[in-house]
Amino acid sequence: MVIDFHTHIFPDKIASATIEALSKNASIPPHSDGTYDGLISKMERAGVDISVNLPVVTRPSQVDSIMRFSSEINSKSKRVISFAGIHPDSEDTDAILENIKQNGFLGIKLHPDYQGAFFDDPRYIRIMKKAKELDLITVTHAGLDGAFVGQEIKCTPTRVLRVLDALGGYDKLVLAHMGANELFNETLSELAGENVYFDTAYVLPTLGQEMFARILEKHGEDKILFATDSPWQDALEQIEIIKSYGLDNETENKIFCENAKRLLKL
């Protein structure tokens, strides 16, 4: 079984324009069209059983429409599990999170760069404190985002540690891109071993096998989640990279599915 813990899809009517704009901003080509059907097609090709959709709310006014779209995804099939989104500028974030929980969502996605806030901002800490109370998973972009090169990185390992200290820990926090994209030495020295998850989205080609092995050894095989950042990486290629590392079957199985199954309570 393979679970892809980090994908992005959009409503059909805006998917093409959205993917074109995002691709241009980050100077990266897409590997699918950003639609539900496009993701399912790529999953079939790669042998991915379940994908997690992570919507990014870039304006507070998008919360309700994204929640509706995400609910539609969750009603279609069990192949794609969509999280909900929230924005640090949203009014009454506690009420929004309670609504997210009541509507059956398992978690939320944060993106400090696209939401214009540092990860240790008090607004984010309040959101995660409530999410922790509600037993929700929080996935955050971490490290460099290609669309924001030259700007100060908003989610660094140091900022993550501040948040964990403020929250008294958060064992359902997922740090995308192996803890912090392009800050892998800092991830290894500061974050590896903390009681949080790392996902492998987008970074495997640049991370390299040696650094992957070092982070895996220090962080532990129970806290790594296979992920692609689809449509920005191809699932089949990412699966083949993991398989090329020569991991034992138990470790490989944990990364590909068992850790995600436990976190998602499947």
Side-chain angles (χ1 to χ4, degrees):
M1 186 176 190
V2 177
I3 298 174
D4 184 345
F5 210 90
H6 188 143
T7 69
H8 302 285
I9 54 179
F10 307 92
D12 289 355
K13 64 182 180 180
I14 66 167
S16 178
T18 302
I19 291 298
E20 182 179 357
L22 291 171
S23 178
K24 181 179 180 180
N25 288 343
S27 300
I28 51 175
H31 289 264
S32 78
D33 64 5
T35 66
Y36 175 89
D37 290 340
L39 176 60
I40 292 293
S41 175
K42 291 293 185 178
M43 290 168 62
E44 294 286 352
R45 174 175 175 266
V48 173
D49 298 275
I50 296 171
S51 288
V52 178
N53 175 56
L54 301 174
V56 177
V57 176
T58 58
R59 300 188 305 273
S61 60
Q62 296 175 332
V63 169
D64 289 342
S65 61
I66 285 177
M67 191 179 302
R68 287 194 297 272
F69 175 63
S70 297
S71 293
E72 291 171 6
I73 293 170
N74 288 337
S75 68
K76 283 187 177 183
S77 76
K78 298 187 183 299
R79 295 289 306 275
V80 181
I81 298 170
S82 185
F83 282 16
I86 193 168
H87 195 280
D89 290 332
S90 296
E91 294 183 7
D92 201 350
T93 53
D94 283 6
I96 292 172
L97 289 164
E98 288 168 0
N99 192 29
I100 285 170
K101 181 70 174 182
Q102 290 167 6
N103 279 277
F105 290 102
L106 299 178
I108 57 171
K109 170 67 186 291
L110 305 176
H111 200 306
D113 296 284
Y114 278 101
Q115 295 178 330
F118 289 99
F119 189 61
D120 53 353
D121 187 292
R123 294 169 294 171
Y124 274 145
I125 291 173
R126 174 171 177 162
I127 286 170
M128 285 181 277
K129 182 178 180 180
K130 185 66 176 180
K132 178 183 174 182
E133 176 187 316
L134 293 170
D135 197 34
L136 290 169
I137 302 163
T138 295
V139 182
T140 183
H141 173 88
L144 179 70
D145 186 287
F148 297 88
V149 173
Q151 299 185 27
E152 186 174 359
I153 295 173
K154 289 183 167 58
C155 183
T156 62
T158 298
R159 293 185 187 277
V160 171
L161 290 176
R162 290 176 190 155
V163 169
L164 292 175
D165 184 61
L167 296 176
Y170 185 9
D171 62 3
K172 288 195 170 184
L173 176 61
V174 180
L175 304 171
H177 317 301
M178 286 300 281
N181 183 37
E182 299 291 347
L183 300 177
F184 304 125
N185 287 322
E186 291 91 334
T187 293
L188 180 63
S189 62
E190 298 180 41
L191 286 180
E194 294 289 333
N195 193 18
V196 295
Y197 289 86
F198 299 160
D199 81 26
T200 68
Y202 193 75
V203 300
L204 291 177
T206 55
L207 177 68
Q209 182 175 355
E210 180 182 351
M211 180 58 78
F212 180 89
R214 293 174 68 188
I215 292 175
L216 176 63
E217 180 180 12
K218 186 176 178 182
H219 195 57
E221 61 192 29
D222 295 325
K223 295 291 184 178
I224 306 290
L225 304 165
F226 173 74
T228 65
D229 209 0
S230 176
W232 309 116
Q233 291 286 356
D234 179 73
L236 183 58
E237 292 177 359
Q238 303 310 298
I239 290 169
E240 290 175 348
I241 289 174
I242 295 284
K243 287 186 173 292
S244 75
Y245 289 167
L247 304 174
D248 61 78
N249 289 337
E250 181 180 4
T251 298
E252 197 174 270
N253 197 41
K254 286 181 177 181
I255 293 170
F256 278 133
C257 70
E258 292 302 323
N259 295 338
K261 285 170 64 177
R262 182 180 66 252
L263 185 55
L264 296 168
K265 298 182 179 178
L266 300 181

